[in-house]
Amino acid sequence: MRGSQDLLTPTAAVSEPLLQLRGIGKNFGPVHALADVDLDVPAGAVTALCGDNGAGKSVLTKCVAGIHTPDHGRILWEGKPVTLRSPKEAASLGIETVYQDLALCDNLDIVENMFLGREKLRRGVLDEEDMERTAGETLKSLAVTTIRSFRQPVASLSGGQRQSVAVAKAVMWNSKLVMLDEPTAALGVAQTEMVLKLVKSLAERGLAVILISHNMANVFDVADRVAVLYLGRMVAAGPASEFDRQIVVDYMTSGASTRKPA
């Protein structure tokens, strides 16, 4: 089983990862939220980030999203060191995050939500036609076919459809990395299947995907790589084929595992 230190070897990936985290540390007063975390995130693949509550998953993704600034370590983007001081700076590189609350406005329609804060103007007024066309093309490119109208209010959508809109909103802006925080939480079976297909389609389009999930069935359905945090440390990372559900649970609950994949 590979530990996080193996991410530094040339065999860890065929090409240079899109995102590389090296020795990331983050403290909140006396609390060590992250300690010496290494992680490689390649393009065109789904990297599942697993860990129990309090393991540091949210803090790590917020460091990548520009919400938190690491106290130690380096973030490399396309092989070059970067400092991310805000979500705007992260977005300018192509890093988008879909949080569990989705950050959608129920009283607005799909197009209005997808362009919220980034509205297109033409001669000083909203270019409704162009925004609707772009939103429709993005949803269709992700094979989102269950939405009746791009102008229906988000409040009228199912959980799976809402998640699809949030993901489409994230990838519409020339994104290269999309981070998804528990995207199937509280969804039914059919809606979960819809979202997992969407996750796979992102990687197939060449995007890097970080999937945060407690659901091992979902993880092994879509993940190309698995990384496990335990008490703020990266205790295991490698191809999904080197893990199974019980091995990941072992790492999540104790920080170690002696099992071999079934």
Side-chain angles (χ1 to χ4, degrees):
M1 183 63 59
R2 285 185 188 175
S4 58
Q5 67 272 17
D6 294 313
L7 296 170
L8 299 174
T9 65
T11 58
V14 175
S15 59
E16 186 173 64
L18 178 68
L19 172 70
Q20 300 173 75
L21 306 180
R22 294 292 179 262
I24 298 296
K26 181 64 181 177
N27 302 327
F28 296 97
V31 178
H32 301 291
L34 298 172
D36 198 28
V37 172
D38 292 347
L39 180 63
D40 284 353
V41 180
V46 178
T47 300
L49 183 60
C50 305
D52 205 352
N53 292 334
K57 304 185 301 299
S58 293
V59 176
L60 185 63
T61 53
K62 287 178 179 178
C63 287
V64 176
I67 296 173
H68 296 321
T69 300
D71 297 320
H72 310 287
R74 296 187 303 157
I75 299 176
L76 292 93
W77 181 257
E78 297 181 325
K80 299 177 181 179
V82 294
T83 301
L84 303 174
R85 301 180 183 87
S86 70
K88 185 176 181 180
E89 288 188 5
S92 70
L93 295 178
I95 300 171
E96 296 284 347
T97 308
V98 179
Y99 294 102
Q100 200 166 347
D101 64 5
L102 302 183
L104 297 176
C105 298
D106 285 347
N107 61 315
L108 300 180
D109 66 31
I110 292 170
V111 175
E112 290 168 335
N113 266 282
M114 290 178 66
F115 281 91
L116 188 61
R118 297 174 174 178
E119 291 83 359
K120 289 186 177 183
L121 299 178
R122 184 179 182 184
R123 297 175 182 174
V125 297
L126 290 175
D127 192 341
E128 299 280 2
E129 183 177 342
D130 189 45
M131 288 192 293
E132 184 170 335
R133 178 185 56 79
T134 303
E137 288 175 352
T138 302
L139 288 163
K140 288 177 182 177
S141 73
L142 295 172
V144 179
T145 59
T146 62
I147 291 174
R148 182 179 69 255
S149 167
F150 303 138
R151 286 300 184 178
Q152 67 185 103
V154 162
S156 69
L157 301 178
S158 69
Q161 290 171 329
R162 290 167 64 92
Q163 188 69 245
S164 298
V165 170
V167 171
K169 178 181 178 180
V171 305
M172 192 167 58
W173 308 101
N174 297 317
S175 303
K176 296 181 180 179
L177 167 64
V178 177
M179 298 188 289
L180 304 169
D181 186 7
E182 298 284 356
T184 60
L187 296 184
V189 174
Q191 295 175 350
T192 294
E193 184 178 356
M194 177 197 308
V195 172
L196 293 180
K197 285 181 179 179
L198 186 58
V199 172
K200 289 180 182 178
S201 74
L202 296 179
E204 289 168 357
R205 290 177 54 173
L207 278 69
V209 180
I210 294 178
L211 172 68
I212 303 170
S213 181
H214 285 89
N215 189 311
M216 291 298 102
N218 292 351
V219 165
F220 284 98
D221 191 20
V222 300
D224 301 292
R225 297 182 60 80
V226 173
V228 188
L229 284 167
Y230 176 73
L231 299 180
R233 295 184 178 276
M234 189 66 71
V235 292
S241 60
E242 296 186 356
F243 298 82
D244 62 24
R245 298 184 193 186
Q246 190 55 57
I247 291 172
V248 174
V249 172
D250 287 347
Y251 277 111
M252 288 173 58
T253 55
S254 68
S257 180
T258 58
R259 304 174 195 265
K260 300 293 183 183

